Amino acid sequence: MNANNLNMRDRNILIKKGRIYTPEEGISSERDVLIQEGIIRRIDKGIKPGKAYVLDAQDCIISPGFVDMHVHFREPGMEYKEDIGSGSCAAVSGGYVAVFCMPNTDPPIDNASVAEYVYDRGVDEGLCMVLPHGAITQGRIGKALAPMGEMGSCRAMVRGFSDDGSTVTDSEIMRRAMEYAKTMDSLIISHCEDVSLNAGGQMNEGFYSTLLGLRGIPPEAEEIGVFRDICLAEKTDAELHVAHVSTAKTVKLLREAKKRGLKVTCEATPHHFTLDDSYLVSYDTNLKVNPPLRSRADVEAILAGLSDGTIDVISTDHAPHALHEKETEFDRAEFGMVGLETCLALVVTVLVENGVFSLEQALEKMTLAPSRIMRLERFGYKPEITEGTPANITVFNSDLEWVVDPLRFRSRSKNSPFGGWKVKGKVIHTIFNGSIVLEDMQVSPAGD
Ligand code: DOR
């Protein structure tokens, strides 16, 4: 936490004339929110500013700060793509007050010292909570369990374990990981993929892969993985979170698993609910992601899963890559796209404007659901705008139209396929732990 941030925390802040979203009550009429010493002290109409610093929230929603369960900040090891400083700037620009970093760094987050390093770097940057997920296996190579207990009890209090980007192919090791996770109240986050089915695959297997002459990744590669992990979660009674759901059958499997009462949750990304594989005719390597963009029928199933509650969480899978890793032949390009700075806009433009569900339902999947799954109250975050609650707040305008320009992203990487898209919904201010970290769409110098 730097000195400027401490000054900000001492400062009283008055958010004027916004409509407040709370998971219990939905969106209120116009209110002011007074923050003193980092705590929300008063919510009322017409609060006099006195000496408080005023943030204008006219025409805006005041929401609990957004939480992203799935980002790649690349530190340690690949800071040329993103580091915890640039990633934190991207996060608060997108309205996030807490992000969970996947462990596919170099070295991987597979022990307490790397987990604490990531956690401490986030604290040093002071813009948002940067919390690590730990690897399930040592080196993320699927051979032997990582010291999960040590990571769970270290300063970073790791709760989510994942070999993200690599599936734990050995079912016996996955079973042991789940049994172990259950004893320590942890969560297995599974990147579900039968790798034998997707070797060399570049995009979804189907009409467009044949048309474009690119090797396909069949939907079954994901579904077989999901089915196995649901079976193991049922056997072990462990908590399982399925990352980046991409196919219709995955949604169906998860819906059935939830009906049977299993402790299963899942997430969808903005790119998987927005784009289908027909976009790949552009050969834009920014569209190359894993799991791949699927068919329109799969996108429709994801929208249905979001709407009926099968899909609990919206996560970005923010995956920064440098220009030279994307401006290359399709089969050489890295998988992944950045997402923190476009998520809210895609949620509003694709989900809310098209009537898939209400803004309130969308916000629940970006605040309450991820914070509940990750037990964020351990870090002092409550998905509430109520008197007495620490101020972790996102103020956004859901009507503001803008055109996406990746060159203006705060992320170090610009690998987004949404450049030039006209979208609706923009984060205006972000308050983290009582400090203004984004003001009028500018990252506050307090944290820069
Ligand atoms: O597209 C992806 N990019 N999928 C993953 O699973 C990993 C991620 C990355 O780390 O770049």
Side-chain angles (χ1 to χ4, degrees):
M1 191 67 56
N2 64 38
N4 279 332
N5 268 19
L6 287 175
N7 290 342
M8 290 293 286
R9 176 130 344 109
D10 288 343
R11 202 195 270 185
N12 297 339
I13 302 165
L14 181 63
I15 310 176
K16 277 298 268 182
K17 293 193 171 182
R19 291 182 299 136
I20 297 174
Y21 159 75
T22 47
E24 300 74 33
E25 286 160 33
I27 296 175
S28 74
S29 58
E30 224 172 71
R31 297 270 193 288
D32 300 341
V33 176
L34 179 66
I35 299 160
Q36 290 174 327
E37 287 153 7
I39 306 290
I40 298 171
R41 291 286 175 214
R42 229 184 115 199
I43 301 172
D44 213 335
K45 288 183 182 157
I47 302 178
K48 297 258 178 314
K51 287 190 179 146
Y53 186 79
V54 176
L55 281 182
D56 182 14
Q58 183 96 49
D59 303 323
C60 290
I61 310 278
I62 303 173
S63 166
F66 301 160
V67 177
D68 193 342
M69 281 182 66
H70 192 147
V71 304
H72 299 269
F73 275 1
R74 310 301 191 199
E75 186 179 344
M78 289 164 282
E79 290 83 354
Y80 67 97
K81 299 175 196 252
E82 190 87 286
D83 62 23
I84 288 171
S86 62
S88 299
C89 287
V92 300
S93 298
Y96 290 90
V97 297
V99 293
F100 286 86
C101 296
M102 281 296 174
N104 58 340
T105 47
D106 185 15
I109 309 171
D110 65 354
N111 62 70
S113 50
V114 185
E116 288 186 344
Y117 169 81
V118 169
Y119 175 80
D120 291 345
R121 282 280 297 112
V123 172
D124 285 346
E125 293 295 336
L127 289 174
C128 61
M129 277 182 264
V130 178
L131 302 168
H133 291 315
I136 295 173
T137 67
Q138 292 172 34
R140 294 176 52 249
I141 56 172
K143 301 279 185 229
L145 285 185
M148 293 164 63
E150 175 189 296
M151 286 187 269
S153 56
C154 79
R155 229 175 8 259
M157 293 194 274
V158 176
R159 165 163 159 78
F161 291 92
S162 180
D163 272 4
D164 185 83
S166 314
T167 299
V168 178
T169 50
D170 185 319
S171 303
E172 166 66 6
I173 290 182
M174 192 57 147
R175 172 189 174 174
R176 296 290 167 225
M178 287 193 187
E179 284 171 346
Y180 201 43
K182 184 174 162 54
T183 64
M184 49 184 272
D185 190 32
S186 291
L187 173 73
I188 295 294
I189 303 174
S190 188
H191 172 112
C192 298
E193 190 177 1
D194 181 330
V195 282
S196 62
L197 274 175
N198 83 353
Q202 303 295 315
M203 65 173 290
N204 183 42
E205 182 179 295
F207 174 82
Y208 285 98
S209 61
T210 309
L211 182 78
L212 299 175
L214 291 172
R215 185 180 281 216
I217 302 174
E220 291 77 8
E222 173 171 304
E223 293 149 3
I224 290 169
V226 172
F227 183 70
R228 180 202 70 170
D229 287 347
I230 289 174
C231 290
L232 292 176
E234 184 157 22
K235 182 165 191 62
T236 57
D237 193 34
E239 277 182 66
L240 169 69
H241 179 81
V242 175
H244 39 47
V245 167
S246 79
T247 86
K249 201 174 281 171
T250 295
V251 176
K252 189 163 172 271
L253 287 167
L254 289 162
R255 191 177 284 124
E256 288 164 1
K258 286 181 157 199
K259 272 200 192 123
R260 292 210 309 283
L262 305 190
K263 295 176 197 154
V264 174
T265 56
C266 63
E267 67 190 24
T269 70
H271 46 278
H272 288 114
F273 67 64
T274 302
L275 304 166
D276 60 37
D277 57 355
S278 71
Y279 282 84
L280 272 291
V281 296
S282 66
Y283 279 102
D284 179 359
T285 54
N286 291 321
L287 295 161
K288 181 175 172 182
V289 284
N290 188 22
L293 303 175
R294 300 286 186 185
S295 70
R296 187 35 48 186
D298 292 309
V299 174
E300 295 299 331
I302 290 173
L303 295 174
L306 283 162
S307 162
D308 72 13
T310 303
I311 299 173
D312 308 82
V313 168
I314 295 170
S315 301
T316 64
D317 195 0
H318 175 83
H321 291 292
L323 198 59
H324 69 274
E325 294 165 325
K326 282 294 194 178
E327 280 200 345
T328 179
E329 292 86 346
F330 205 92
D331 59 351
R332 285 168 185 258
E334 296 275 4
F335 287 95
M337 66 172 80
V338 289
L340 282 166
E341 292 166 84
T342 44
C343 184
L344 173 78
L346 293 169
V347 163
V348 172
T349 309
V350 179
L351 300 180
V352 180
E353 293 278 300
N354 290 340
V356 175
F357 54 43
S358 66
L359 189 56
E360 289 91 321
Q361 282 169 295
L363 291 173
E364 204 229 80
K365 294 183 195 299
M366 296 169 74
T367 59
L368 180 68
S371 73
R372 189 186 55 225
I373 293 168
M374 294 314 303
R375 310 259 200 283
L376 254 189
E377 73 278 0
R378 297 174 303 149
F379 294 92
Y381 172 91
K382 279 192 193 168
E384 289 174 12
I385 305 288
T386 47
E387 291 174 356
T389 301
N392 290 297
I393 296 175
T394 303
V395 178
F396 67 93
N397 184 329
S398 58
D399 293 319
L400 192 70
E401 290 190 337
W402 58 289
V403 176
V404 178
D405 177 2
L407 294 178
R408 303 187 68 160
F409 288 167
R410 296 304 302 253
S411 171
R412 182 157 298 150
S413 292
K414 315 296 172 195
N415 52 310
S416 165
F418 296 109
W421 278 46
K422 194 171 174 194
V423 289
K424 229 175 168 184
K426 187 93 176 124
V427 175
I428 310 293
H429 314 297
T430 308
I431 296 177
F432 165 56
N433 220 358
S435 298
I436 301 168
V437 287
L438 184 83
E439 181 175 0
D440 288 329
M441 299 183 268
Q442 300 299 317
V443 177
S444 158
D448 239 353

